[in-house]
Amino acid sequence: MKCSCGERLKKAIENYKKFIMKETLGVEFNFVENLDTEEVDFNGQSGKLLVERV
């Protein structure tokens, strides 16, 4: 998984990263500067998320 977001959302994701990885069977989670995906609203915080099947 890759995520492009602001600091506030990044901090929230970091707090729940283990849970997110377990629930999605994720192998890795990286924060990147920019993604070529649609922006999504995460409870008032905007960001982009890319989930790829491996």
Side-chain angles (χ1 to χ4, degrees), residues 4 12 34:
S4 174
N34 195 10

Side-chain angles (χ1 to χ4, degrees), residues 32-46:
V32 296
E33 288 295 317
N34 195 10
L35 286 173
D36 190 24
T37 61
E38 186 176 328
E39 199 161 285
V40 180
D41 181 353
F42 297 96
N43 267 353
Q45 299 294 311
S46 62

